[in-house]
Amino acid sequence: AEGLNLCTSGSATSCEECLLIHPKCAWCSKEDFSSTKSITSRCDFLQNLLANGCAGAIENPSSSISVLRNVPLSSKGSGQSHLDVTQITPQKVALNLRPGDRTSFRVQVRQVEDYPVDLYYLMDLSLSMNDDLDNIRNLGTKLAEEMRKLTSNFRLGFGSFVDKNISPFSYTAPRYQNNPCIGYKLFPSCVPSFGFRHLLSLTDKVDRFNEEVQKQKVSRNRDAPEGGFDAILQAAVCKEKIGWRKEASHLLVFTTDDVPHIALDGKLGGLVQPHDGQCHLNEANEYSASSQLDYPSLALLGEKLAENNIHLIFAVTKSHYMLYKNFTTLIPGTTVEILHKDSKNIIELIVKAYNSIRSKVELTVWDSPEDIGLTFTATCQDGLSYPGLRKCGDLKIGDTVSFEVAVEARSCPAEAASHSFTIKPAGFRDTLEVAVSYRCQCGCTGRAAPASGKCSGNGTYACGLCECEPGYLGARCECREGAMGELHHALCREAEGKPLCSGRGECSCNQCQCYESEFGNIYGPFCECDDFSCARYKGVLCSGHGECHCGECKCHAGYIGDNCNCSTETDSCVSSDGQMCSGRGACVCGKCQCTEPGAFGETCEKCPTCPGVCSTKRDCIECKLFNSGRLADNQTCQKHCKDEIITTVDVLETDDPNAILCAYPVNNCVMKFTYMELPSGKSNLTVLKEPACSSAPSAVTIVLAVIGSVVLIGIILLALWKLLVTIHDRREFDRFQSERSRARYEMASNPLYRKPISTHNVEFTFNKLNKSYNGTVD
């Protein structure tokens, strides 16, 4: 093999050590395998061992899988014994794993038709729920009619809760003991407060449900939060009293109009003992530990609901919808729906939630050993494979989905042991049991020969090597400790001029005996190797993802690099839409390196300048605010939109240069919003409370507008014409006035009139009496 040979460079001294180096390493147990070629290691790749003449004596175990129980999937639920209904196949497998050698098997899951349903209705009976109580008095009959359209085997139960009857959660003064509503003018009479009361076990007689509801009266507590989580836990763990059937789908409907108390709130009332997760219903079917135990935590609720295969449905008012929607991400298998203030939509709500639950399948893993790695690949109804996903949605009743489960053992247990874990679809009673054993021992080890003549009678011969008794050394245990000689020293040097045993051991009987080190193990023919001089990452040898062999990190499966800090897994790079790095980058060492300009985020999902971002933000707005759109499923919405901070406003401000404006049509209107990426990696979305709508103009309006426009234009043109004529006339008049002022005749004379008499002057000269005259003759 070219390059570094992982097997030979590991310097394995036994068959078991060889198997741990790499899943492709094999061990040669042939007796004389290394006698002629000392450089040839018994631990090598299979093809190398065969080429070097070790055929028939090779130890190379591989991982294997055996299906122990594989009952076919059922097609229908009711009408069969619950033992005959199968929704997951196979039901039991056994794995025999060699460390590092991955093996896989396929799991199929089907939501069968007409599956039995147990529904327990848990109602808040605090004072604010009085109008809701009036509206559900005939709920049993109507709900049974709707649910029997979905299943022919339906049972219904009922319970109620208020809060712990201790201060400061309830009114505890003597005057309030029998009637905490004394002095409350709007509702002067109510029953004493209580933690949880189981009123009706699951039954198919819905009339009994109506009867129990009609008997109920509301109570009053002091603070706003309710003790609903106490009630949920008791309804989940008190299986016998509630009447949960193993063969049915379990629905727990939780109705309230306020927030719940959670763990540590009990300290306000002096309750310091955490909840023990046990059933505490007394003979009267009331929660008896209400005043002794604190409220349960979200983690404990999720654990107990999953253990008992219960789907929790939060039916809450709109003002508290977002709080309970956040709870669904912390409590697997839960959904949340908006409840009207008077509970009139409760039947529609339950049917919708049930259909949502039945439209998805998600695998969960229970009790997985720490040294086992699991990888899931989902194949959903579209026929495409989704690596890293263990959930399918948008399913119809009777659809079958499959998951490929890849299993890998990272190491061998300290002692010979077997482990097991369980794969279970969330909310299903069906499970797949997986038993795990480890192939960490070589077959030749079981054929070991103590005090063998092949080992000079001084050791045990196993797998082609001698394991010498204390005090003996050598390939055949032929030397005693302390036997030294100059002849042997040359065999303890890696090369001429180098120190004996690399300066880290003593030469005895042609062999180096390596010193012990507080840092780790020193080994090798010349003590040239150790398991602590490898590259580190953040102070951890080989990043904790590999083994140090002779100064070089041998990475575990799934990791590469000089210090094994580079993961080859791509699960963390898969974005919520199933694409690698959202299609905007490449997955390098298990992390996305964004190549699209402007893209950032763990999976390059943030990109304000990329096309199509508005569409992605729109999906989050629709599912978070209106519970609609393609991400309406609660779990899907939370996964895709976990980093979106949505705020609604009456008027949308668009002055911020960092905010990007988006719009999309909604029923002939336009919904506008802006979004801005925050330094924390989250997105701030500002959305109009209502879409901007504009009514279409009528035909009459259009005609009148056209006529008005024509008239207006005509008036404007006439005004311009009149203005131009006036200006022209004034100029002409001014010019007339100017000429008149320059005239030189009087106003009374006519410049065109001429007199009829004309006068001519004649010049002449004559002599009279010798006198000369000049004159004029008339």
Side-chain angles (χ1 to χ4, degrees):
E2 298 182 357
L4 177 66
N5 188 321
L6 295 175
C7 303
T8 57
S9 63
S11 299
T13 58
S14 69
C15 181
E16 284 73 18
E17 289 182 6
C18 178
L19 298 185
L20 289 174
I21 294 175
H22 193 273
K24 292 186 178 180
C25 292
W27 178 266
C28 179
S29 61
K30 190 175 181 179
E31 180 180 354
D32 58 350
F33 178 69
S34 60
S35 60
T36 58
K37 298 181 179 180
S38 58
I39 62 172
T40 304
S41 172
R42 290 181 178 272
C43 184
D44 205 340
F45 293 114
L46 177 62
Q47 62 270 26
N48 293 346
L49 294 179
L50 292 173
N52 289 324
C54 191
I58 296 177
E59 296 286 337
N60 186 27
S62 59
S63 298
S64 61
I65 177 173
S66 301
V67 178
L68 305 181
R69 188 165 64 249
N70 188 17
V71 179
L73 295 171
S74 303
S75 59
K76 195 171 183 180
S78 298
Q80 306 182 57
S81 167
H82 72 274
L83 297 176
D84 298 332
V85 179
T86 304
Q87 297 186 98
I88 184 172
T89 187
Q91 294 80 42
K92 188 172 184 179
V93 299
L95 304 177
N96 196 356
L97 301 178
R98 174 182 173 178
D101 187 20
R102 177 178 296 189
T103 187
S104 61
F105 57 91
R106 186 164 290 276
V107 180
Q108 289 186 315
V109 183
R110 176 187 295 165
Q111 292 263 28
V112 301
E113 298 179 12
D114 199 21
Y115 199 71
V117 175
D118 286 348
L119 189 149
Y120 192 77
Y121 192 89
L122 189 56
M123 183 174 183
D124 178 3
L125 284 187
S126 59
L127 194 58
S128 57
M129 295 288 285
N130 183 55
D131 54 344
D132 302 74
L133 184 60
D134 293 335
N135 285 325
I136 69 162
R137 296 197 183 275
N138 295 315
L139 173 66
T141 304
K142 298 177 182 178
L143 180 58
E145 290 176 358
E146 291 297 322
M147 290 302 293
R148 281 179 179 138
K149 297 177 183 177
L150 305 174
T151 175
S152 61
N153 194 340
F154 176 69
R155 298 200 311 168
L156 190 61
F158 182 64
S160 60
F161 66 91
V162 182
D163 206 346
K164 295 181 182 295
N165 194 19
I166 59 175
S167 181
F169 311 118
S170 298
Y171 293 92
T172 57
R175 66 189 295 256
Y176 295 117
Q177 289 297 316
N178 296 322
N179 181 11
C181 292
I182 289 179
Y184 188 61
K185 295 181 179 180
L186 297 178
F187 204 91
S189 177
C190 58
V191 299
S193 179
F194 57 91
F196 165 63
R197 187 175 291 159
H198 169 52
L199 299 169
L200 177 65
S201 298
L202 291 163
T203 178
D204 55 2
K205 299 175 181 176
V206 295
D207 291 339
R208 291 191 56 197
F209 180 91
N210 296 337
E211 293 172 4
E212 287 297 332
V213 173
Q214 291 173 4
K215 295 178 185 177
Q216 302 311 307
K217 294 183 179 180
V218 294
S219 181
R220 183 187 183 197
N221 58 325
R222 170 170 280 172
D223 60 348
E226 318 291 4
F229 280 6
D230 271 341
I232 292 175
L233 186 62
Q234 293 304 298
V237 299
C238 298
K239 297 180 287 187
E240 290 77 14
K241 292 201 173 187
I242 301 298
W244 297 114
R245 295 177 292 177
K246 290 183 179 180
E247 68 273 19
S249 179
H250 303 158
L251 303 182
L252 178 57
V253 180
F254 176 83
T255 61
T256 185
D257 63 349
D258 221 316
V259 299
H261 279 296
I262 59 175
L264 300 181
D265 283 358
K267 287 188 174 183
L268 296 172
L271 304 180
V272 296
Q273 184 177 351
H275 205 291
D276 58 5
Q278 302 299 316
C279 178
H280 293 284
L281 291 186
N282 57 23
E283 295 180 357
N285 285 334
E286 292 190 359
Y287 179 39
S288 60
S290 180
S291 58
Q292 286 84 41
L293 300 178
D294 191 8
Y295 298 97
S297 66
L298 294 172
L300 182 61
L301 277 183
E303 176 186 342
K304 296 303 177 182
L305 289 169
E307 282 182 7
N308 296 284
N309 307 321
I310 295 175
H311 292 286
L312 176 61
I313 302 172
F314 288 123
V316 299
T317 51
K318 187 174 182 179
S319 58
H320 302 295
Y321 174 78
M322 290 307 302
L323 172 66
Y324 283 90
K325 193 168 186 180
N326 291 333
F327 285 158
T328 62
T329 62
L330 304 174
I331 308 176
T334 59
T335 58
V336 59
E337 299 291 344
I338 296 177
L339 179 71
H340 292 173
K341 291 187 176 181
D342 54 5
S343 295
K344 285 185 178 180
N345 69 325
I346 186 64
I347 295 178
E348 176 188 351
L349 181 153
I350 293 173
V351 172
K352 180 181 178 183
Y354 177 72
N355 288 330
S356 174
I357 291 170
R358 296 278 281 169
S359 69
K360 59 189 176 184
V361 170
E362 182 175 6
L363 296 186
T364 60
V365 180
W366 291 65
D367 304 322
S368 176
E370 292 183 358
D371 59 349
I372 295 293
L374 294 175
T375 304
F376 291 84
T377 299
T379 303
C380 302
Q381 283 304 107
D382 55 8
L384 302 178
S385 296
Y386 297 94
L389 295 183
R390 57 175 76 178
K391 175 182 177 181
C392 285
D394 299 326
L395 304 178
K396 298 178 182 178
I397 301 300
D399 286 347
T400 303
V401 294
S402 63
F403 301 87
E404 183 178 352
V405 185
V407 188
E408 178 185 347
R410 300 190 182 97
S411 61
C412 286
E415 300 179 358
S418 59
H419 297 107
S420 64
F421 60 93
T422 301
I423 295 177
K424 177 177 177 292
F428 286 52
R429 68 172 180 84
D430 304 70
T431 60
L432 166 59
E433 298 178 13
V434 182
V436 181
S437 58
Y438 299 85
R439 305 197 71 171
C440 296
Q441 295 293 323
C442 295
C444 57
T445 303
R447 302 187 295 271
S452 172
K454 298 177 181 179
C455 302
S456 307
N458 300 320
T460 299
Y461 181 79
C463 299
L465 295 177
C466 286
E467 184 178 346
C468 300
E469 299 288 344
Y472 291 91
L473 301 171
R476 299 297 177 185
C477 304
E478 70 275 16
C479 297
R480 284 183 175 273
E481 289 185 358
M484 300 183 64
E486 293 299 328
L487 178 64
H488 299 149
H489 284 181
L491 301 177
C492 293
R493 300 179 191 272
E494 187 175 7
E496 187 177 352
K498 289 197 173 182
L500 288 173
C501 301
S502 304
R504 302 199 293 181
E506 294 181 353
C507 182
S508 176
C509 194
N510 302 340
Q511 290 184 335
C512 287
Q513 302 298 311
C514 301
Y515 297 138
E516 293 184 358
S517 172
E518 61 180 329
F519 300 107
N521 183 35
I522 299 175
Y523 60 93
F526 309 103
C527 300
E528 75 279 11
C529 296
D530 60 58
D531 60 3
F532 53 82
S533 297
C534 293
R536 298 171 182 263
Y537 180 69
K538 294 184 178 180
V540 180
L541 191 67
C542 298
S543 306
H545 301 306
E547 305 296 335
C548 182
H549 290 283
C550 203
E552 186 171 356
C553 288
K554 311 300 180 186
C555 302
H556 293 156
Y559 291 91
I560 58 175
D562 293 339
N563 51 14
C564 302
N565 69 325
C566 183
S567 172
T568 60
E569 294 290 335
T570 59
D571 294 353
S572 59
C573 295
V574 178
S575 57
S576 57
D577 58 1
Q579 296 189 74
M580 190 67 64
C581 298
S582 304
R584 301 177 182 133
C587 188
V588 179
C589 294
K591 295 183 178 180
C592 283
Q593 290 188 357
C594 305
T595 56
E596 182 80 19
F600 63 97
E602 291 184 0
T603 57
C604 303
E605 74 279 7
K606 308 291 185 182
C607 187
T609 60
C610 294
V613 177
C614 284
S615 176
T616 303
K617 304 297 183 185
R618 168 189 174 177
D619 291 337
C620 291
I621 290 172
E622 289 181 339
C623 76
K624 276 198 166 188
L625 293 185
F626 309 110
N627 196 29
S628 62
R630 67 182 188 89
L631 303 180
D633 172 67
N634 292 327
Q635 298 291 344
T636 305
C637 185
Q638 287 298 325
K639 180 179 179 180
H640 284 250
C641 308
K642 64 181 186 307
D643 293 332
E644 312 298 341
I645 303 173
I646 300 178
T647 307
T648 57
V649 295
D650 294 318
V651 179
L652 194 64
E653 299 290 340
T654 58
D655 298 336
D656 192 341
N658 296 321
I660 297 177
L661 177 65
C662 298
Y664 62 92
V666 179
N667 298 329
N668 297 324
C669 301
V670 177
M671 174 61 81
K672 296 182 179 179
F673 66 92
T674 60
Y675 74 89
M676 180 172 56
E677 304 295 349
L678 302 177
S680 62
K682 295 183 178 294
S683 298
N684 189 13
L685 279 69
T686 306
V687 190
L688 282 175
K689 287 185 178 179
E690 298 293 338
C693 300
S694 59
S695 58
S698 63
V700 175
T701 303
I702 295 175
V703 171
L704 292 177
V706 171
I707 295 174
S709 300
V710 172
V711 172
L712 180 61
I713 293 173
I715 293 174
I716 293 173
L717 292 176
L718 287 174
L720 289 175
W721 175 81
K722 179 63 177 175
L723 178 62
L724 293 175
V725 170
T726 302
I727 293 173
H728 180 267
D729 290 347
R730 286 186 177 181
R731 286 179 177 176
E732 290 295 321
F733 181 74
D734 290 342
R735 189 171 63 180
F736 170 75
Q737 290 287 85
S738 176
E739 291 178 352
R740 182 180 179 186
S741 63
R742 291 197 299 270
R744 296 181 179 274
Y745 53 87
E746 296 180 359
M747 296 294 294
S749 63
N750 187 350
L752 300 178
Y753 174 76
R754 292 188 178 185
K755 294 180 179 180
I757 301 172
S758 60
T759 302
H760 299 276
N761 295 322
V762 179
E763 293 182 0
F764 61 92
T765 303
F766 62 92
N767 295 323
K768 185 180 181 179
L769 299 181
N770 295 324
K771 292 182 181 179
S772 295
Y773 296 91
N774 290 324
T776 299
V777 181
D778 293 334

